[in-house]
Amino acid sequence: MKKGRFGEFGGQYIPETLMPAIKELELAFEKCKTDKSFQAEFKRLLAEYVGRPTPLTFAARLSKKLGCKVYLKREDLAHTGAHKINNALGQALLARKMGKKRIIAETGAGQHGTATAIAAAKLGFECDIYMGEVDIERQKPNVLRMKLAGARVVPVSSGSRTLKDAINECLRDWTASCETTHYLLGSVLGPHPYPEMVAYFQSVIGEETKKQILAAEGKLPKAIIACVGGGSNAIGIFKKFVPEHKVELIGVEAGGLGLDSGKHAARFADKKIGRPGVLHGTFTYVLQDKFGQIYNTHSVSAGLDYSAVGPEHSMLRQLKRAKYTFATDKEALDAFKMLSETEGIIPALESSHAVAFLLKYAKNCGPNNIVIVNISGRGDKDLGIVVKEMGGKL
Ligand SMILES: *Cc1c(COP(=O)(O)O)cnc(C)c1O
C-alpha cells in the first residue's frame, strides 16, 4: 500500500495552505504509535474514563428467535454512549503532544461533537463544534451536552445545513487557525492521515471483540455486521478480523426511503449515483450527479447521513473482503423496537441498521453459527425521532 492510499482510494486532496498542518499531524501520529507514554496514557483513559473493555453480550432471546448465536458488542456502554469517544480521546491526546491549545470539530448526529467536547473538557482544551442547523434541531440533547462540557456550538446555515456543510465551515476555520488548533475529525474520512489514524484509535473495538468471542466460544464468528456512516465503528470492529478470511465482514448503509426514492445514503448500493470521486480531501465512493455535484443524503439517523464513505471501505469492497448492503429507515425503526423488546437494549438508530440486516442474514445462518453485531451507540438520543416516526405511539 502506498502511503495514505487504500488501493486506488484515499489520498490527500487538500489546499496548499493545509499541507503544513497535515504534515505535522502525520509526523505526530507516526511517533505516537511507538511512544510508550502516549500508549500508556491512552490505555489508561480508555479503561478508567471510557469504561473499556465494553462487554460482548450474548443475546439469548434474540438468538432463540433468529435461530443462530447472536453476540452484541456494546459500544452503547462506552462513556458518552457511543464508540466515537475512543477516537476523540486518541486525537485529543495527540493534540496535546503537538502543543495545541484548541480543538475544533464538525458533528452530524451530535455524537462526535459530544465525544469531542467531552474529550476536550477532560484534557483541558478550548473547543468549538460546528453543527448544521437541521442537525441542531433534531439532536437537541447532544447540543446541551456539548454546551455543558464547555464547548461553543457554532450553527451552520449554509447548503443543506447538515454534516457536509459543517465540515466545510470547520475546514475554513482550520485553514486560518492550524498553528494553535487541532481539527478532530470524527470518522475514517478526510485526507491522510485521518482515515488511518481514526481506524487506529477505533481498532480497540475489534481487538476486544476477538479476545471476548474466543473466550466465550473458543472460535471465531461466521460474520460481523456493523452500520456504515463514514465507517469508523465498522472499520474499528473489522480491522482485527480482516486477515481471518473465513469471517464475513458486512457493512450496512442507510437506505433511507429506498434506493428508487433517491433519498438515502447508500453510496455503494445505488449504482446510478454512487461513484468514486473526491469529497473533503479523499478519493472514495461519493453520491454525485454526472457533473460531480454532491447529492444531499437522507436518513432517519443523522449519523449515517453523509455523501461519502471512508476510503478503506471502498478498498475492502473492491477486494471483496467486505460486503456492503443497506437497510431502509423503516427497517431500522422496526429493528430498533425489536431489539429493545427482545433484549432490553435500546440501540442508536444508526446501529439499528446493522440489527435490521441481522434479521435478514439470520435466515440462512444455522444454529451453530455465531454472528456479532456492533451496537455502535445507545438510542436514548433518538427517542424523540422514533416516537414521531411511529406517529406518536410506540
Ligand atoms: C456517528 C455514529 C455512527 C456513524 O459513524 P461511523 O463513522 O460510520 O461509525 C454510527 N453509530 C453511532 C451511534 C454514531 O454516533
Side-chain angles (χ1 to χ4, degrees):
M1 193 179 94
K2 275 198 297 195
K3 184 179 74 94
R5 288 276 175 185
F6 302 92
E8 67 185 277
F9 302 104
Q12 291 179 318
Y13 297 85
I14 53 171
E16 207 60 46
T17 44
L18 277 180
M19 231 25 218
I22 287 285
K23 282 267 173 278
E24 184 191 8
L25 184 60
E26 239 183 281
L27 268 176
F29 172 53
E30 281 311 313
K31 258 204 210 146
C32 88
K33 292 182 189 168
T34 54
D35 177 341
K36 287 208 176 78
S37 77
F38 180 94
Q39 294 297 333
E41 196 165 3
F42 186 44
K43 245 194 202 135
R44 190 176 59 79
L45 277 170
L46 290 181
E48 284 179 10
Y49 189 67
V50 180
R52 305 205 72 92
T54 58
L56 183 70
T57 304
F58 177 58
R61 294 188 67 221
L62 183 59
S63 298
K64 202 161 172 213
K65 186 170 167 154
L66 297 181
C68 62
K69 278 190 172 172
V70 180
Y71 281 83
L72 307 171
K73 180 59 173 164
R74 304 292 306 282
E75 293 303 293
D76 59 309
L77 293 181
H79 179 46
T80 70
H83 67 290
K84 291 201 175 80
I85 189 71
N86 306 323
N87 167 55
L89 281 171
Q91 285 195 47
L93 268 185
L94 203 58
R96 184 196 265 174
K97 285 267 177 209
M98 290 188 288
K100 306 292 178 191
K101 300 285 176 245
R102 176 175 172 255
I103 284 177
I104 57 173
E106 36 40 53
T107 194
Q111 288 293 95
H112 174 56
T114 303
T116 302
I118 281 168
K122 176 70 181 158
L123 297 179
F125 286 96
E126 199 189 323
C127 181
D128 284 308
I129 305 291
Y130 288 88
M131 190 167 186
E133 285 177 342
V134 170
D135 290 332
I136 288 182
E137 193 48 44
R138 59 182 174 177
Q139 301 288 347
K140 274 192 193 136
N142 274 333
V143 174
L144 296 177
R145 292 206 286 173
M146 286 184 256
K147 287 185 176 165
L148 267 174
R152 277 184 298 263
V153 178
V154 187
V156 175
S157 57
S158 53
S160 62
R161 300 181 291 147
T162 58
L163 181 60
K164 77 179 166 60
D165 314 289
I167 294 175
N168 286 334
E169 289 301 318
C170 199
L171 279 173
R172 215 161 284 157
D173 180 325
W174 201 37
T175 307
S177 66
C178 56
E179 244 166 69
T180 58
T181 299
H182 174 63
Y183 174 23
L184 206 161
L185 215 154
S187 192
V188 285
L189 292 160
H192 177 69
Y194 283 106
E196 191 187 323
M197 181 168 67
V198 176
Y200 178 81
F201 291 135
Q202 291 292 4
S203 59
V204 64
I205 304 173
E207 279 161 23
E208 290 173 3
T209 304
K210 196 168 182 182
K211 280 191 204 133
Q212 288 167 322
I213 198 64
L214 287 174
E217 294 280 349
K219 64 173 184 176
L220 294 175
K222 176 175 165 63
I224 298 178
I225 305 175
C227 67
V228 180
S232 68
N233 84 88
I235 289 286
I237 197 165
F238 287 174
K239 199 92 183 165
K240 196 75 186 172
F241 293 91
V242 168
E244 308 285 356
H245 285 271
K246 285 200 179 131
V247 180
E248 284 177 64
L249 306 175
I250 303 165
V252 186
E253 300 183 289
L257 302 179
L259 290 195
D260 293 340
S261 72
K263 290 184 163 38
H264 60 72
R267 289 102 0 148
F268 290 135
D270 191 338
K271 295 191 174 54
K272 285 199 298 273
I273 57 173
R275 287 182 280 119
V278 170
L279 184 62
H280 297 127
T282 191
F283 180 68
T284 186
Y285 271 74
V286 180
L287 289 179
Q288 55 188 310
D289 69 15
K290 63 179 180 201
F291 303 109
Q293 293 295 313
I294 306 305
Y295 272 110
N296 289 332
T297 48
H298 162 86
S299 170
V300 70
S301 68
L304 303 186
D305 209 348
Y306 183 62
S307 316
V309 62
E312 192 167 3
H313 286 291
S314 295
M315 179 188 77
L316 288 173
R317 179 171 173 270
Q318 194 171 57
L319 295 174
K320 298 194 163 50
R321 179 60 195 96
K323 281 184 212 150
Y324 295 84
T325 178
F326 65 92
T328 63
D329 285 357
K330 166 127 198 349
E331 289 167 335
L333 283 160
D334 290 346
F336 178 99
K337 236 181 125 204
M338 186 281 302
L339 191 65
S340 303
E341 282 169 9
T342 315
E343 291 292 334
I345 293 169
I346 302 172
L349 277 174
E350 290 83 2
S351 326
S352 301
H353 286 70
V355 177
F357 183 70
L358 167 72
L359 304 183
K360 295 183 190 169
Y361 184 84
K363 290 193 179 124
N364 307 310
C365 192
N368 294 320
N369 283 315
I370 303 162
V371 184
I372 298 176
V373 179
N374 197 21
I375 304 299
S376 53
R378 67 175 179 228
D380 306 53
K381 70 184 175 63
D382 297 315
L383 291 179
I385 300 169
V386 170
V387 170
K388 206 167 119 198
E389 293 283 332
M390 301 221 166
K393 50 178 188 292
L394 281 178

